[in-house]
Amino acid sequence: MTFHSGTCICGAVKVVGKGEIDHSHACHCATCRRQNAGGAFHGVAFKDGAEIKGDSVGWYGSSDYGERGFCSTCGSTIAWRMKDKPAIINLSLGLFENGTGAKIGSHIFSDLAGDYYTLGTDIPHKTAEQMFAEFSAMSDT
Amino acid sequence: MSEFSGHCLCGGVSFIATGDVLRVSACYCGMCRVQNGGGAFHGVEFRGELIPKNDTGLKWFAASDKAERGFCTSCGSSLFWRSKSDTTYYDVSLGALIDTSALKLDAHIFVDHKADYQHIPESAPHLTEADILANPLQDIS
């Protein structure tokens, strides 16, 4: 199996992405932007899951369905995961020095992007409505 | 003289940023990317005073010998960057501000440090590290 290792700025939190990359995206929702200095959260999901190690990781429940992991020593964003299905997890692409080789597949929650920047049109955009439809489909399975 | 109010995701940190706006920028340096979900630090660079209204959750992490990064230890929101030697030079996350309607990016900075997966739009000038060193807004050495 392929393993991708990453770390936060201070090194207190280490992550491992297991297996091949399933997908990656840039999320522009207001919650991601408020957590990530106004820009998108670039998340990557792996086919065989992810592991997060380190005592300094904190989790913040940012909505009814999602929570956000961060390093409480240096403030680095670590991950987003679903509360009731924590195996559905996106690690921050920023934690991987070589970027894992991932390409960003889509801009999600694109209609909620900040008014101070523009999105590239080289990859698909998915609106909040489209994303909530995808979440519903996941909960049904 | 400008004034902007803002807060983190959970409200553990709220503030008023005051002073002269030097530049609205998106920084792609390695540390900004690692801390901020693999994206960029989108911020308003100020010369002035950062006034905390609630700093219950605020922590400053010494990310280098020149600068510190402020974040909320309760929710992990990345909020500030400031020069260690001169704290009147500081950068505030655009994602934390309540009203960004008057703000547009003036520049993408440290673009030569961007990750392979990033595509930087041509919406604003691109400045490399060499460009910035040749014409610094502020000497933080």
Side-chain angles (χ1 to χ4, degrees):
Chain A
M1 191 187 292
T2 313
F3 294 96
H4 300 271
S5 299
T7 183
C8 62
I9 291 182
C10 71
V13 177
K14 295 188 173 16
V15 298
V16 179
K18 297 176 177 176
E20 301 301 317
I21 291 166
D22 186 69
H23 67 273
S24 75
H25 55 221
C27 180
H28 298 267
C29 80
T31 313
C32 277
R33 289 188 292 104
R34 194 172 290 279
Q35 189 189 29
N36 294 293
F41 171 70
H42 294 67
V44 58
F46 296 88
K47 288 192 188 301
D48 297 290
E51 205 174 315
I52 298 174
K53 303 170 196 167
D55 294 337
S56 73
V57 65
W59 289 94
Y60 174 69
S62 53
S63 67
D64 291 344
Y65 54 91
E67 54 188 356
R68 294 164 185 274
F70 61 95
C71 174
S72 48
T73 302
C74 68
S76 296
T77 295
I78 304 297
W80 178 96
R81 70 182 179 192
M82 289 196 95
K83 278 182 180 173
D84 59 347
K85 290 184 180 172
I88 298 180
I89 184 167
N90 296 310
L91 296 177
S92 163
L93 256 184
L95 304 177
F96 301 93
E97 195 173 356
N98 60 8
T100 71
K103 301 274 182 228
I104 301 297
S106 56
H107 291 294
I108 69 172
F109 290 90
S110 55
D111 51 327
L112 302 181
D115 46 11
Y116 41 84
Y117 65 95
T118 51
L119 292 184
T121 53
D122 50 322
I123 53 174
H125 291 192
K126 293 182 185 177
T127 63
E129 192 180 348
Q130 289 171 301
M131 290 310 298
F132 284 121
E134 285 190 18
F135 288 159
S136 299
M138 270 193 266
S139 318
D140 292 343
T141 54
Chain B
M1 181 83 169
S2 299
E3 189 174 297
F4 293 90
S5 295
H7 58 85
C8 66
L9 277 176
C10 71
V13 181
S14 57
F15 61 88
I16 301 171
T18 66
D20 296 322
V21 172
L22 304 175
R23 182 169 64 190
V24 182
S25 60
C27 180
Y28 296 82
C29 81
M31 219 170 290
C32 280
R33 287 187 290 101
V34 175
Q35 191 189 29
N36 295 297
F41 190 105
H42 292 67
V44 185
E45 295 176 66
F46 279 96
R47 159 69 69 196
E49 188 184 3
L50 178 59
I51 303 165
K53 284 165 67 187
N54 176 13
D55 59 3
T56 314
L58 181 62
K59 179 175 179 180
W60 288 98
F61 172 70
S64 71
D65 54 353
K66 290 182 179 176
E68 316 178 279
R69 292 167 184 271
F71 68 98
C72 176
T73 53
S74 298
C75 65
S77 296
S78 173
L79 299 165
F80 314 119
W81 175 101
R82 72 180 179 194
S83 161
K84 271 187 185 172
S85 59
D86 175 5
T87 56
T88 67
Y89 176 47
Y90 67 96
D91 197 350
V92 172
S93 157
L94 278 166
L97 300 184
I98 292 165
D99 182 5
T100 55
S101 57
L103 298 167
K104 291 282 174 210
L105 283 182
D106 295 315
H108 298 283
I109 66 175
F110 290 93
V111 292
D112 48 328
H113 292 257
K114 80 169 185 70
D116 289 345
Y117 56 81
Q118 290 180 300
H119 168 75
I120 305 178
E122 297 296 332
S123 53
H126 289 196
L127 302 180
T128 62
E129 180 177 8
D131 293 332
I132 290 160
L133 291 176
N135 187 18
L137 267 178
Q138 164 76 27
D139 182 4
I140 60 165
S141 60

